[in-house]
Amino acid sequence: MIVENNRLITLLSEEQKADLISLEKQFAHHLEYTIGKNKYTLGNTDIYKALGHTVRDFLIDRLNVTNERYLNEDPKKIYYFSLEFLMGRTLMNALINLGLYDIIKQMIGSFGFDLESILEFEMDAGLGNGGLGRLAACFLDSMATLNIPGFGYGIRYDYGIFNQIIVNGSQLEMPDHWDADGVPYEVVRPDITFSVGFYGHTETHITGKGKLQYRWIPGETVLASAHDCPVPGFNTSTVNYLRLWTAKSSEEFNLDYFNHGDYMKAVQDKSISENISKVLYPNDTTEQGKMLRLKQQYFMVCASLQDIIAQYKQANVSLDRLSDKIAIQLNDTHPSIGISELMRILMDQEDWDWDDAWDLTTKIFSYTNHTVLPEALETWKVSLIETLLPRHMQIIYEINQRFLEDVRKSGKLNETEIEEVSIIEEGNEKRIRMANLAVVGANKVNGVAALHSDLIIKTIFKSFYKIFPDKFNNKTNGITPRRWLIQSNPSLTALIAKKIGPSFATDLEKLRDLENHIGDAEFRNDWAKVKQVNKENLAKLIKGDTGIVIDPDSMIDVQVKRFHEYKRQLLNILRVIALYRRIKENPNITITPRTVIFGGKAAPGYYMAKLIIKLINNVASIVNHDKDVADRLKVIFLPNYRVSLAEKIIPGTNLSEQISTAGTEASGTSNMKFMLNGALTIGTLDGANVEMLEEVGRENIYIFGLKTEEVFATKQSGYDPRDWIEKNEEMGRILRMIRENFFSQNELGIFMPIHDSLFYTDTYLLMADFKAYDEMQKKVAEDFRNAEEWTKKAILNVARAGKFSSDRTIREYAKDIWKVPLLSTVPPQTSYQLG
Ligand SMILES: *Cc1c(COP(=O)(O)O)cnc(C)c1O
């Protein structure tokens, strides 16, 4: 790898270059025959699509080679089950990972186009809500890069996370028809189709061996058909895949109606079954208990398990060794119905006894918990599961009965604790606790940051921890440096590579070598220049997206993430209001100029989160138009935050806001993205911020506020926000401004719910943390004025970001949970077959 044109590129061998002579022909072929255009009719999207098909050819070459290797070597395979994959764009990532970036750039250039502009035509695959789905995407990149046979399984939603537009300051949701123009890189596999049953009833019969066996007779059948997104590793020939299922109506089901002459009903039903993969549920960290959502979960799991077992059976006769050959990771409880599905397959279809089936099942599944917030813990009404999946309900009852029996026998828990670990929640309406099912059925259970993993065994899984202490472990999240540094920040990547060489791309701990150069004034100067150019690019983007001109010399202060009360965007905007007031009261005040940027979507039904977005926009329109402010403060809300936008915002950021109430954010991953791009962090001791502090030390991160234990203690002792408001005169005035419609002069009273929630309940302790936050922000402002010292800290943060590579995370999963070896020799780069 070398640095060229301010970008880190992989050098191609002479042999590979020779193969690439046909690249232009290949591209021209796709333009003419795949897209069907000629030079008179083509537009920029056609260039993008033809390029997509050209890259796809390379991906498929290596995908096939990789599959062949897996067939020959029959290694243990990892299946990452997730209802969400927030992949963002694919093509640039593929070019970088395949080492094709420079040669494709030249090729596209020779046709008279600019590669980076062409790649802007790609729509994000936004098949996820936020951090949980993005984690899945980063893990796929790391598994392929580490040559682990690891595959994603999920749903190919027709509509991803909604597009957010802001109208009169409020969020409006627009459908995200991301595949409307086709998805050039995906591989459609109609030959890989399985049927998925729903509803119906169960029967018993006696097998030939005289054994009682259950059989589920579904009342409805839907087909699941595979679409594969190739997942190329970086600088290796491994290409794995993400297999996404799409729902198709099954003919068996509709034939009945056709035969009875009801053509319209048959067609109607066809579209009803296809609804299953129609749209991603847009709730981040809350569950609604809707039938269609449960259908999605079972649809994904059922098709995936059939596929996995069919693949296994290509090489093996009996399922005895299944747990030596596969492991399944459950990304949260969403796919945890899979535990009962595997039990059903083994007992009802493969004729296994309960004990053997349970033994095998509990070796295969592991479960990753993502939250301690009670509203995010998934439960389903027993009546719903009984209707949709009657056989699974029987199996879950039996799992629970046998489990509780064992627990009672062990004498480790008292009756209250036994009630707590039960998979069934008793009450007026019985419910299934999916987290309990997942813990009971899993081989390992992990949290996603040290603090979070500690917290779950002290809170939600306290009693489980007494029974299964060895199940629980931590796997601190990570991010892939390919997308979040090499792709998103090419000029910083080039600067780093020039200084310490390119090996950090696959060994992020190598960034530590940067520490040797912090004292080098010329290097710091180059570093600051890179940041400045990134800030200027961000300023252009902001001008384009919002029409607002910002000062690229100001401190770029960013909070981008889903809108949720626990993440406390409200704390940030309250402090902006405080700053604004201070300027108004003392117009000559010297403050460090700041641009405070917000971005993020709120769940469509989350009233408070949407109101906070509105407040931010209203504050912005007053602050940004006030002549007294004189450009010392700007507030920006960037609409439609998504992966491709994150890639542009993060490199231009000076200050990263990670200010959730301690004990609420499981890990966070945007905190890591910012750190890796040379932003400093202001944050609470929450999630992975704790570990970031451990890496960089107190002087290099701005930590404030109550710690987790203090949050618990404060709440325990009867927290009353008014006690804190009384102590802080300025906060009293800010609340009065909100109450007296300073930010809602044409919409009287709209912000009263925000006012009242702060005044009377303040669940997330904003009033208790405000002063500490404000004081730390003052220190940040002061430090930013010393550009040299700021740059030193920024370099140090990047140098110590190595731990937060998802390569490290995946190595830990491989060793501790999946028990798969890491290849010591990398499969050779196969030469390109084209031409
Ligand atoms: C990384 C990422 C997230 C997660 O952000 P957090 O601040 O960790 O919640 C959400 N959305 C997008 C688009 C991301 O890239």
Side-chain angles (χ1 to χ4, degrees), residues 592-834:
T592 307
R594 277 200 203 228
T595 304
V596 183
I597 299 172
F598 294 87
K601 295 169 185 175
Y606 192 168
Y607 174 78
M608 264 300 185
K610 289 176 116 173
L611 198 57
I612 293 166
I613 290 177
K614 170 81 172 161
L615 177 63
I616 290 169
N617 280 298
N618 283 19
V619 170
S621 74
I622 288 184
V623 169
N624 297 344
H625 293 108
D626 192 321
K627 292 277 181 294
D628 289 350
V629 174
D631 289 346
R632 283 170 291 181
L633 178 61
K634 279 256 156 71
V635 183
I636 305 292
F637 188 95
L638 271 176
N640 207 27
Y641 181 59
R642 59 197 185 281
V643 173
S644 61
L645 188 57
E647 289 167 19
K648 294 171 182 140
I649 296 170
I650 292 168
T653 299
N654 296 122
L655 183 66
S656 157
E657 301 264 356
Q658 307 297 338
I659 59 177
S660 52
T661 315
T664 62
E665 185 76 271
S667 162
T669 47
S670 78
N671 45 1
M672 303 168 186
K673 299 169 195 165
F674 284 107
M675 182 189 193
L676 185 58
N677 283 272
L680 302 191
T681 301
I682 183 165
T684 47
L685 278 180
D686 200 15
N689 297 354
V690 175
E691 290 157 81
M692 286 165 54
L693 167 64
E694 275 172 20
E695 295 298 299
V696 301
R698 286 264 159 201
E699 324 74 57
N700 298 298
I701 183 168
Y702 299 94
I703 297 293
F704 72 93
L706 296 176
K707 301 178 181 64
T708 304
E709 306 76 56
E710 294 167 339
V711 167
F712 282 121
T714 306
K715 288 192 167 177
Q716 214 98 69
S717 62
Y719 174 65
D720 186 342
R722 281 162 293 189
D723 298 343
W724 297 82
I725 296 166
E726 273 162 29
K727 277 190 286 188
N728 185 339
E729 206 189 319
E730 189 181 38
M731 183 49 68
R733 293 210 203 102
I734 292 168
L735 288 177
R736 195 176 321 140
M737 284 170 86
I738 294 173
R739 191 167 64 231
E740 294 176 354
N741 294 300
F742 189 88
F743 303 107
S744 46
Q745 277 154 31
N746 302 316
E747 299 147 297
L748 301 182
I750 57 163
F751 296 128
M752 277 314 279
I754 290 179
H755 172 275
D756 289 352
S757 81
L758 291 171
F759 204 81
Y760 297 110
T761 41
D762 191 22
T763 312
Y764 296 103
L765 307 191
L766 283 73
M767 298 299 99
D769 267 349
F770 183 80
K771 190 156 178 283
Y773 178 53
D774 185 45
E775 270 161 19
M776 195 51 81
Q777 284 284 22
K778 284 179 185 157
K779 177 157 170 50
V780 169
E782 204 164 294
D783 287 3
F784 189 72
R785 301 175 88 85
N786 187 342
E788 288 290 316
E789 287 304 311
W790 187 275
T791 299
K792 284 184 192 171
K793 288 180 183 173
I795 299 171
L796 187 109
N797 267 264
V798 175
R800 305 272 178 96
K803 174 174 181 184
F804 304 106
S805 168
S806 48
D807 296 346
R808 186 269 312 150
T809 314
I810 287 299
R811 280 197 191 93
E812 291 179 7
Y813 275 91
K815 178 167 171 286
D816 304 335
I817 300 179
W818 304 331
K819 320 273 188 213
V820 287
L822 294 175
L823 293 187
S824 49
T825 56
V826 175
Q829 298 249 341
T830 50
S831 65
Y832 298 106
Q833 304 294 311
L834 303 172

Side-chain angles (χ1 to χ4, degrees), residues 17 114 151 180 199 214 289 300 330 450 509 527 652 670 674 687 702 773 782 815 820:
K17 280 187 179 159
D114 169 52
F151 307 91
Y199 305 107
Y214 285 83
M300 192 286 269
L330 303 173
E509 290 286 352
W527 187 283
S670 78
F674 284 107
Y702 299 94
Y773 178 53
E782 204 164 294
K815 178 167 171 286
V820 287

Side-chain angles (χ1 to χ4, degrees), residues 389-596:
L389 303 167
R391 177 64 182 132
H392 297 78
M393 195 59 246
Q394 291 176 339
I395 291 171
I396 292 170
Y397 270 130
E398 187 159 351
I399 292 173
N400 195 43
Q401 192 195 320
R402 287 169 181 254
F403 164 64
L404 293 183
E405 224 165 76
D406 285 353
V407 173
R408 282 210 174 83
K409 258 190 253 157
S410 78
K412 286 180 182 160
L413 301 186
N414 64 35
E415 274 309 309
T416 331
E417 291 167 327
I418 290 174
E419 216 170 277
E420 221 180 276
V421 297
S422 173
I423 297 169
I424 316 290
E425 180 183 282
E426 304 292 338
N428 275 345
E429 176 114 61
K430 280 205 235 176
R431 302 182 75 92
I432 305 296
R433 298 168 170 146
M434 299 309 268
N436 292 29
L437 174 62
V439 173
V440 174
N443 190 241
K444 297 280 181 200
V445 178
N446 74 284
V448 289
L451 174 77
H452 170 66
S453 299
D454 254 26
L455 211 52
I456 60 178
I457 58 174
K458 287 180 184 149
T459 58
I460 51 175
F461 299 142
K462 189 171 182 212
S463 301
F464 276 118
Y465 185 61
K466 288 188 183 171
I467 327 170
F468 307 125
D470 300 336
K471 266 196 196 189
F472 292 89
N473 70 104
N474 173 245
K475 292 287 165 279
T476 299
N477 282 168
I479 54 166
T480 170
R482 270 72 64 185
R483 182 174 298 260
W484 297 111
L485 182 59
I486 298 173
Q487 177 178 330
S488 64
N489 202 340
S491 43
L492 188 63
T493 303
L495 175 62
I496 294 171
K498 252 193 274 177
K499 210 68 196 173
I500 64 168
S503 59
F504 65 90
T506 49
D507 181 5
L508 206 63
E509 290 286 352
K510 284 271 161 61
L511 288 175
R512 280 205 179 244
D513 292 351
L514 287 172
E515 281 182 50
N516 302 327
H517 307 285
I518 294 176
D520 174 350
E522 198 185 319
F523 178 62
R524 289 203 304 274
N525 193 40
D526 290 345
W527 187 283
K529 268 194 212 146
V530 164
K531 180 59 83 176
Q532 189 62 23
V533 171
N534 287 337
K535 288 170 72 174
E536 282 159 16
N537 289 338
L538 177 56
K540 280 180 211 146
L541 179 142
I542 290 170
K543 176 75 171 51
D545 282 13
T546 68
I548 301 171
V549 176
I550 66 153
D551 173 9
D553 295 332
S554 66
M555 182 203 300
I556 303 294
D557 171 345
V558 179
Q559 188 172 18
V560 284
K561 47 185 76 250
R562 282 300 286 256
F563 267 79
H564 199 293
E565 286 162 288
Y566 85 79
K567 291 177 182 278
R568 299 202 295 193
Q569 284 94 349
L570 183 55
L571 181 64
N572 187 346
I573 197 69
L574 288 175
R575 138 91 192 165
V576 168
I577 296 171
L579 260 184
Y580 173 65
R581 281 196 75 265
R582 289 170 203 164
I583 296 171
K584 292 302 280 182
E585 285 198 335
N586 182 2
N588 296 320
I589 193 172
T590 325
I591 69 158
T592 307
R594 277 200 203 228
T595 304
V596 183

Side-chain angles (χ1 to χ4, degrees), residues 296-326:
Q296 288 184 339
Q297 295 181 347
Y298 179 66
F299 170 77
M300 192 286 269
V301 152
C302 175
S304 304
L305 283 173
Q306 289 182 69
D307 187 37
I308 291 166
I309 290 173
Q311 285 187 38
Y312 170 87
K313 283 187 170 173
Q314 287 178 351
N316 300 272
V317 190
S318 94
L319 290 176
D320 290 359
R321 278 173 29 90
L322 190 64
S323 63
D324 296 336
K325 287 294 170 186
I326 74 160

Side-chain angles (χ1 to χ4, degrees), residues 270-281:
K270 182 172 156 69
S271 58
I272 288 170
S273 9
E274 292 177 357
N275 274 344
I276 291 178
S277 57
K278 191 62 71 187
V279 57
L280 165 80
Y281 274 85

